[in-house]
Protein backbone atom coordinates (compact mmCIF):
# COMPACT_ATOMS: atom_id res chain seq x y z
CA UNK A 1 0.00 0.00 0.00
CA UNK A 2 2.89 2.39 0.63
CA UNK A 3 3.92 2.19 -3.02
CA UNK A 4 0.37 2.96 -4.17
CA UNK A 5 -0.08 5.81 -1.70
CA UNK A 6 3.11 7.52 -2.89
CA UNK A 7 2.32 7.29 -6.60
CA UNK A 8 1.24 10.60 -8.11
CA UNK A 9 -1.63 9.18 -10.19
CA UNK A 10 -3.11 7.47 -7.12
CA UNK A 11 -2.79 10.61 -5.03
CA UNK A 12 -4.42 12.66 -7.77
CA UNK A 13 -7.36 10.26 -7.89
CA UNK A 14 -8.12 10.41 -4.16
CA UNK A 15 -7.38 14.13 -3.82
CA UNK A 16 -9.69 17.06 -4.54
CA UNK A 17 -9.26 17.69 -8.28
CA UNK A 18 -10.72 21.20 -8.13
CA UNK A 19 -7.14 22.48 -8.14
CA UNK A 20 -4.98 19.93 -10.03
CA UNK A 21 -1.81 22.02 -9.73
CA UNK A 22 -2.16 22.23 -5.96
CA UNK A 23 -2.73 18.45 -5.85
CA UNK A 24 0.48 17.91 -7.79
CA UNK A 25 2.39 20.15 -5.41
CA UNK A 26 1.02 18.28 -2.41
CA UNK A 27 1.88 14.95 -4.06
CA UNK A 28 5.44 16.13 -4.70
CA UNK A 29 5.76 17.34 -1.11
CA UNK A 30 4.53 13.98 0.19
CA UNK A 31 6.95 12.08 -2.03
CA UNK A 32 9.81 14.29 -0.88
CA UNK A 33 8.98 13.70 2.77
CA UNK A 34 8.57 9.96 2.37
CA UNK A 35 11.81 9.61 0.42
CA UNK A 36 14.14 11.46 2.75
CA UNK A 37 17.23 9.37 3.55
CA UNK A 38 15.72 6.02 2.43
CA UNK A 39 19.04 4.18 2.66
CA UNK A 40 19.57 5.26 6.27
CA UNK A 41 16.06 4.11 7.15
CA UNK A 42 16.72 0.72 5.59
CA UNK A 43 20.01 0.41 7.47
CA UNK A 44 18.22 1.13 10.72
CA UNK A 45 15.66 -1.60 10.05
CA UNK A 46 18.36 -4.13 9.16
CA UNK A 47 20.31 -3.30 12.31
CA UNK A 48 17.14 -3.68 14.40
CA UNK A 49 16.41 -7.03 12.75
CA UNK A 50 19.94 -8.25 13.48
CA UNK A 51 19.64 -7.11 17.10
CA UNK A 52 16.29 -8.89 17.43
CA UNK A 53 17.73 -12.16 16.11
CA UNK A 54 20.83 -11.94 18.29
CA UNK A 55 18.86 -11.31 21.47
CA UNK A 56 16.33 -14.09 20.95
CA UNK A 57 18.77 -16.65 19.56
CA UNK A 58 21.54 -16.24 22.12
CA UNK A 59 22.51 -19.02 24.47
CA UNK A 60 20.82 -19.02 27.90
CA UNK A 61 24.34 -19.11 29.38
CA UNK A 62 25.39 -15.93 27.59
CA UNK A 63 26.27 -13.11 29.95
CA UNK A 64 26.43 -10.27 27.42
CA UNK A 65 23.92 -7.48 27.91
CA UNK A 66 21.26 -6.58 25.39
CA UNK A 67 23.00 -3.21 24.97
CA UNK A 68 26.06 -5.04 23.66
CA UNK A 69 23.99 -6.83 21.02
CA UNK A 70 22.35 -3.57 20.00
CA UNK A 71 25.60 -1.68 19.52
CA UNK A 72 27.20 -4.63 17.71
CA UNK A 73 24.32 -4.63 15.21
CA UNK A 74 24.68 -0.87 14.82
CA UNK A 75 28.39 -1.18 14.07
CA UNK A 76 27.75 -3.90 11.48
CA UNK A 77 24.84 -2.36 9.55
CA UNK A 78 24.31 1.33 10.36
CA UNK A 79 26.20 4.32 9.02
CA UNK A 80 24.89 6.63 11.74
CA UNK A 81 25.35 5.06 15.15
CA UNK A 82 23.80 6.01 18.45
CA UNK A 83 26.03 7.02 21.39
CA UNK A 84 27.22 4.24 23.65
CA UNK A 85 25.92 5.91 26.81
CA UNK A 86 22.23 5.97 25.86
CA UNK A 87 19.60 3.22 25.96
CA UNK A 88 18.39 3.56 22.37
CA UNK A 89 17.40 -0.11 22.25
CA UNK A 90 14.52 0.59 24.66
CA UNK A 91 12.58 2.40 21.95
CA UNK A 92 12.36 -0.80 19.89
CA UNK A 93 9.13 -2.01 21.45
CA UNK A 94 8.58 -4.50 18.62
CA UNK A 95 11.39 -6.64 19.93
CA UNK A 96 9.27 -7.97 22.78
CA UNK A 97 6.12 -8.63 20.73
CA UNK A 98 7.68 -9.94 17.51
CA UNK A 99 10.27 -12.20 19.08
CA UNK A 100 13.00 -12.83 16.46
CA UNK A 101 10.72 -11.93 13.54
CA UNK A 102 11.47 -8.21 13.17
CA UNK A 103 13.37 -9.15 10.01
CA UNK A 104 9.93 -9.47 8.38
CA UNK A 105 9.87 -5.67 7.97
CA UNK A 106 12.78 -5.39 5.49
CA UNK A 107 11.77 -8.72 3.93
CA UNK A 108 8.21 -7.48 3.37
CA UNK A 109 9.52 -4.22 1.90
CA UNK A 110 11.72 -6.13 -0.55
CA UNK A 111 8.81 -8.37 -1.52
CA UNK A 112 6.46 -5.41 -1.98
CA UNK A 113 9.07 -3.61 -4.10
CA UNK A 114 9.40 -6.66 -6.33
CA UNK A 115 5.62 -6.96 -6.78
CA UNK A 116 5.27 -3.24 -7.45
CA UNK A 117 8.04 -3.13 -10.05
CA UNK A 118 6.85 -6.20 -11.94
CA UNK A 119 3.07 -5.65 -11.84
CA UNK A 120 1.95 -2.16 -10.87
CA UNK A 121 4.70 0.42 -11.47
CA UNK A 122 3.66 1.15 -15.07
CA UNK A 123 -0.06 1.21 -14.30
CA UNK A 124 -1.19 1.20 -10.64
CA UNK A 125 -4.81 0.78 -11.84
CA UNK A 126 -4.16 -2.24 -14.07
CA UNK A 127 -7.22 -4.50 -13.94
CA UNK A 128 -5.20 -7.52 -15.06
CA UNK A 129 -2.55 -7.06 -12.37
CA UNK A 130 -5.18 -6.36 -9.72
CA UNK A 131 -7.16 -9.50 -10.53
CA UNK A 132 -3.97 -11.54 -10.55
CA UNK A 133 -3.04 -10.21 -7.12
CA UNK A 134 -6.53 -10.99 -5.81
CA UNK A 135 -6.57 -14.54 -7.19
CA UNK A 136 -3.06 -15.53 -6.08
CA UNK A 137 -2.64 -13.63 -2.80
CA UNK A 138 -5.79 -12.20 -1.25
CA UNK A 139 -8.18 -15.08 -1.84
CA UNK A 140 -6.09 -17.56 0.18
CA UNK A 141 -5.87 -15.59 3.40
CA UNK A 142 -3.24 -17.37 5.48
CA UNK A 143 -3.97 -20.84 4.14
CA UNK A 144 -1.05 -21.06 1.67
CA UNK A 145 2.65 -20.66 2.29
CA UNK A 146 3.64 -17.03 1.49
CA UNK A 147 6.58 -18.10 -0.68
CA UNK A 148 4.24 -20.21 -2.83
CA UNK A 149 1.76 -17.36 -3.21
CA UNK A 150 4.56 -14.98 -4.20
CA UNK A 151 5.87 -17.44 -6.79
CA UNK A 152 2.37 -17.91 -8.24
CA UNK A 153 1.86 -14.15 -8.43
CA UNK A 154 5.17 -13.37 -10.14
CA UNK A 155 5.35 -16.50 -12.24
CA UNK A 156 8.79 -17.35 -10.85
CA UNK A 157 10.48 -17.92 -7.50
CA UNK A 158 12.54 -14.83 -6.63
CA UNK A 159 15.97 -15.36 -5.12
CA UNK A 160 17.83 -13.08 -2.74
CA UNK A 161 19.47 -11.19 -5.63
CA UNK A 162 16.05 -10.32 -7.07
CA UNK A 163 14.80 -9.04 -3.72
CA UNK A 164 17.92 -6.97 -3.06
CA UNK A 165 17.80 -5.64 -6.61
CA UNK A 166 14.19 -4.51 -6.16
CA UNK A 167 15.11 -2.59 -3.01
CA UNK A 168 18.11 -1.04 -4.74
CA UNK A 169 15.95 0.20 -7.60
CA UNK A 170 13.54 1.81 -5.15
CA UNK A 171 16.40 3.59 -3.41
CA UNK A 172 17.68 4.86 -6.76
CA UNK A 173 14.22 6.10 -7.75
CA UNK A 174 13.80 7.84 -4.40
CA UNK A 175 17.09 9.69 -4.93
CA UNK A 176 16.05 10.65 -8.46
CA UNK A 177 12.73 12.04 -7.22
CA UNK A 178 14.52 14.10 -4.60
CA UNK A 179 16.91 15.47 -7.22
CA UNK A 180 14.01 16.52 -9.44
CA UNK A 181 12.19 18.19 -6.56
CA UNK A 182 15.39 19.97 -5.55
CA UNK A 183 15.97 21.28 -9.08
CA UNK A 184 12.36 22.50 -9.33
CA UNK A 185 12.39 24.33 -6.01
CA UNK A 186 11.36 28.00 -6.17
CA UNK A 187 14.09 30.60 -6.42
CA UNK A 188 13.13 32.06 -3.05
CA UNK A 189 14.01 28.74 -1.41
CA UNK A 190 17.65 29.07 -2.54
CA UNK A 191 18.21 32.39 -0.82
CA UNK A 192 19.62 32.36 2.66
CA UNK A 193 17.29 34.33 4.94
CA UNK A 194 18.77 37.35 6.62
CA UNK A 195 19.58 36.55 10.19
CA UNK A 196 18.15 38.77 12.85
CA UNK A 197 20.78 39.75 15.31
CA UNK A 198 19.56 39.91 18.88
CA UNK A 199 20.34 43.03 20.87
CA UNK A 200 21.14 42.50 24.48
CA UNK A 201 19.97 45.33 26.68
CA UNK A 202 20.78 45.48 30.38
CA UNK A 203 18.25 47.08 32.68
CA UNK A 204 18.65 47.24 36.44
CA UNK A 205 20.55 43.98 36.71
CA UNK A 206 18.20 42.17 34.32
CA UNK A 207 18.80 41.20 30.74
CA UNK A 208 16.23 41.10 27.98
CA UNK A 209 16.38 40.44 24.25
CA UNK A 210 15.05 42.67 21.51
CA UNK A 211 15.34 42.18 17.74
CA UNK A 212 16.58 44.70 15.22
CA UNK A 213 14.02 45.84 12.65
Amino acid sequence: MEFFCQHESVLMMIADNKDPEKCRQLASALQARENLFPALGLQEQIAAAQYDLDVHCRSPLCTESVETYFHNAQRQHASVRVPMDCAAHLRLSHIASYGATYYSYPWAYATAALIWNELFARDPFSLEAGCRYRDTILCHGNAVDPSHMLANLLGHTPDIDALVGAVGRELDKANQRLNVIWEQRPESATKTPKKQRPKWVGRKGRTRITEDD
Side-chain angles (χ1 to χ4, degrees):
M1 289 302 298
E2 291 182 7
F3 289 99
F4 281 95
C5 292
Q6 294 180 29
H7 197 275
E8 182 175 338
S9 63
V10 177
L11 293 172
M12 292 291 292
M13 185 194 71
I14 64 178
D16 185 359
N17 289 321
K18 293 180 181 179
D19 190 345
E21 183 59 31
K22 184 177 180 180
C23 291
R24 291 191 186 91
Q25 292 176 358
L26 291 175
S28 297
L30 176 62
Q31 290 176 346
R33 183 179 68 84
E34 293 295 329
N35 292 290
L36 283 175
F37 312 113
L40 292 178
L42 181 60
Q43 287 181 356
E44 184 178 356
Q45 280 200 335
I46 293 174
Q50 182 65 62
Y51 163 66
D52 180 39
L53 290 172
D54 290 342
V55 168
H56 288 93
C57 298
R58 64 176 179 171
S59 169
L61 301 179
C62 181
T63 59
E64 287 187 304
S65 66
V66 292
E67 291 89 344
T68 300
Y69 286 105
F70 178 81
H71 289 293
N72 286 342
Q74 286 276 313
R75 282 193 293 270
Q76 292 176 16
H77 303 291
S79 299
V80 180
R81 301 170 188 142
V82 298
M84 294 292 293
D85 57 350
C86 70
H89 63 287
L90 296 179
R91 67 185 178 88
L92 297 173
S93 58
H94 290 68
I95 301 301
S97 57
Y98 277 58
T101 59
Y102 189 87
Y103 69 88
S104 60
Y105 274 106
W107 186 89
Y109 179 80
T111 302
L114 194 61
I115 295 174
W116 172 261
N117 288 325
E118 294 197 13
L119 296 179
F120 296 103
R122 295 180 181 177
D123 181 11
F125 302 106
S126 170
L127 177 62
E128 179 182 358
C131 291
R132 186 173 178 179
Y133 184 80
R134 177 197 63 193
D135 296 337
T136 58
I137 301 293
L138 299 180
C139 69
H140 298 298
N142 198 31
V144 178
D145 186 278
S147 61
H148 295 163
M149 290 192 291
L150 180 61
N152 292 333
L153 173 65
L154 299 177
H156 62 89
T157 301
D159 55 13
I160 188 62
D161 291 333
L163 294 171
V164 172
V167 173
R169 286 190 292 272
E170 288 306 313
L171 296 180
D172 290 339
K173 288 190 288 187
N175 290 329
Q176 292 173 5
R177 286 193 291 265
L178 283 177
N179 289 334
V180 171
I181 293 172
W182 177 256
E183 293 173 356
Q184 295 177 349
R185 69 194 186 281
E187 184 178 354
S188 59
T190 64
K191 297 181 179 179
T192 303
K194 182 180 179 180
K195 294 183 179 180
Q196 294 180 334
R197 296 182 177 180
K199 182 191 296 183
W200 294 82
V201 180
R203 177 181 295 178
K204 294 182 179 181
R206 298 181 180 179
T207 303
R208 64 188 180 91
I209 299 176
T210 61
E211 293 181 352
D212 294 331
D213 296 331

